[in-house]
Amino acid sequence: VVVNIHSARPGIVIGKKGVDIEKIRRKVEKISNSETTINITEIRKPETVPEIIVSTISSQLEKRASFRRVLKRAVSSAMKLRVDGIRVNVKGRLGGAEIARTEWYKEGRVPLHTMRANVRYAMGTARTMWGAIGIKVWVYLKDNIHKTNNKLAQ
């Protein structure tokens, strides 16, 4: 069995002298009853991966950080890494308000109706003491342009 782990911080997954990765390998071998190899790949720009953006926003909201500041920081850090566009939605009892509402921040362009657009999407939930807050993130990374010899495609 080959297990590929993509991590923004591979040092934490590996642990000191590879102790943590050995624990993971032993658990996987116990479940699968066969030899396992574990490959760890570092994610170079974690601020451009929507799943990681959702998890960081969620953890900050659960620690009672200001949702506006958290969203603006996530958008600005993604745009600094040459992303063509990003949109972040949060929905729920924001800031512990009595009435739930939706807030969103967008920078650049996020073409959701263009087939060739490389838009990545992730969603998650922050469990605060006031209730659940839904988080959605769209990240636009360039267009997928493929050259074809088909005359109909031109």
Side-chain angles (χ1 to χ4, degrees):
V1 175
V2 178
V3 178
N4 295 319
I5 299 174
H6 298 276
S7 173
R9 300 173 73 189
I12 293 174
V13 175
I14 295 170
K16 288 187 178 182
K17 298 181 181 178
V19 175
D20 293 341
I21 198 71
E22 282 301 314
K23 289 179 185 176
I24 294 170
R25 188 181 60 75
R26 277 190 242 115
K27 285 182 182 179
V28 172
E29 282 182 352
K30 192 174 183 180
I31 293 169
S32 65
N33 295 325
S34 63
E35 277 190 38
T36 60
T37 350
I38 297 179
N39 302 324
I40 299 177
T41 309
E42 180 184 6
I43 298 173
R44 296 281 180 202
K45 298 178 183 178
E47 291 87 5
T48 63
V49 180
E51 290 85 5
I52 296 174
I53 296 171
V54 166
S55 67
T56 56
I57 290 173
S58 174
S59 66
Q60 289 175 2
L61 290 178
E62 288 170 355
K63 294 175 186 172
R64 298 185 183 187
S66 168
F67 71 92
R68 284 190 181 94
R69 189 178 327 129
V70 169
L71 297 182
K72 287 178 183 177
R73 186 179 298 143
V75 168
S76 66
S77 66
M79 290 303 289
K80 284 179 186 173
L81 291 175
R82 306 256 185 219
V83 170
D84 284 353
I86 181 170
R87 178 179 171 162
V88 180
N89 277 20
V90 288
K91 183 185 282 191
R93 293 184 61 182
L94 302 174
E98 289 291 320
I99 297 175
R101 66 181 192 275
T102 303
E103 292 272 333
W104 58 273
Y105 289 94
K106 178 180 152 188
E107 198 168 328
R109 56 186 280 255
V110 184
L112 299 179
H113 287 87
T114 307
M115 293 298 288
R116 69 180 183 198
N118 184 9
V119 178
R120 294 184 181 173
Y121 169 78
M123 64 182 197
T125 307
R127 307 225 179 260
T128 63
M129 64 181 291
W130 304 288
I133 295 177
I135 305 164
K136 295 180 181 179
V137 176
W138 293 264
V139 176
Y140 173 51
L141 307 163
K142 308 283 181 198
D143 282 337
N144 294 328
I145 300 173
H146 300 288
K147 294 184 179 179
T148 60
N149 292 331
N150 188 355
K151 291 183 182 179
L152 295 175
Q154 294 176 350

